[in-house]
Amino acid sequence: MELTLTRTTKRKGCTLGVLAVDGKEMCDTMEPTWRDLKKERKVKGCTAIPEGRYPVVITLSPKFGKWLPLLLNVPFFEGIRIHAGNLPTDTEGCILVGEYNEESRQLECSTLYVRLLKQLIVEAKDKGEGVWITVR
């Protein structure tokens, strides 16, 4: 299964995007501020991950106490998860999923989309498929 996160808007306080599953748009995303790590320093807890392609697994998150998707082999980052949240302050580098509301400037239905994404990942793994995410 191939996930694609296409960043659409880079704001001072956050980075917005769209997540697609096997080419079909699923939901919106929110990450911390994007920084060009070739030109800027990573700011702990306040920097979006570098663009690239990463394997995805589901593991038990010690921080959240839940089974959540985890991106592997992200340069300069550890513990990058896809999880629920509404505002940029809800992430320290992870990817939040949901429906972006421009008026309130937050994600809605986040828990629902995490649940749906986890279900799709488990189904892919049960079929013996690898799961990857391309961030661009």
Side-chain angles (χ1 to χ4, degrees), residues 82-110:
I82 300 174
H83 65 83
N86 307 102
L87 300 166
T89 53
D90 295 333
T91 178
E92 294 181 350
C94 296
I95 300 166
L96 306 178
V97 292
E99 295 175 9
Y100 186 70
N101 181 321
E102 186 67 48
E103 192 173 307
S104 65
R105 294 187 154 221
Q106 65 180 13
L107 287 177
E108 299 173 348
C109 305
S110 192

Side-chain angles (χ1 to χ4, degrees), residues 42-88:
K42 174 184 178 290
V43 177
K44 184 174 172 60
C46 298
T47 302
I49 65 171
E51 294 179 344
R53 187 169 186 256
Y54 308 106
V56 178
V57 296
I58 294 181
T59 64
L60 182 61
S61 166
K63 179 177 180 176
F64 294 101
K66 298 178 184 181
W67 292 86
L68 292 169
L70 174 70
L71 282 63
L72 303 176
N73 308 323
V74 180
F76 312 111
F77 292 80
E78 292 181 7
I80 300 300
R81 301 255 177 204
I82 300 174
H83 65 83
N86 307 102
L87 300 166

